[in-house]
Amino acid sequence: DSFRAASGALTVRAGPAMDDLQSSEESAFIGEEIERVVLGAVEAHLKDQLHDESKVARWVDAICETCMQELVQLCKPFKYLVTCAIMQKNGAGVHTSHSCYWDTASDGAMTFKWPGDKSKDQNKTMYCIVTVFGVSL
């Protein structure tokens, strides 16, 4: 039997040998690793910044590039796609969605909103939404 973790990316089978489990973790799309990469990149570029429309394009590019560099350094067998959107907080709503046709046992996607709802460091001027897709090689 197998089950899918909340991120839709990690498959665990009952009773695997320890080597098999370690091997599957080394090649899995693990949410905690992805979250660490994304939040590190976003905070490196946006922490303590105020929304400035003239800087948004540069921030978006830098966040995507930093995420991609860090993801590649994880040495996982994935092709990655990273998207980033920065929106000024002005009371307007935003909705995002993605749909993927792939193998849920080996591929994954995660979306992060910064600052998070429970973040102690709330940015009062902007939101950043980053999505990372990992497609197994």
Side-chain angles (χ1 to χ4, degrees), residues 1 18 30 131:
D1 293 15
M18 189 56 107
I30 299 175
T131 301

Side-chain angles (χ1 to χ4, degrees), residues 42-54:
V42 172
E43 290 193 359
H45 296 286
L46 297 184
K47 188 173 182 169
D48 300 325
Q49 296 290 330
L50 298 175
H51 185 272
D52 181 341
E53 191 61 36
S54 68

Side-chain angles (χ1 to χ4, degrees), residues 19-37:
D19 290 341
D20 291 342
L21 181 59
Q22 183 177 359
S23 177
S24 68
E25 288 179 3
E26 289 173 357
S27 63
F29 189 85
I30 299 175
E32 292 82 12
E33 290 177 331
I34 307 303
E35 181 177 26
R36 180 186 52 76
V37 166

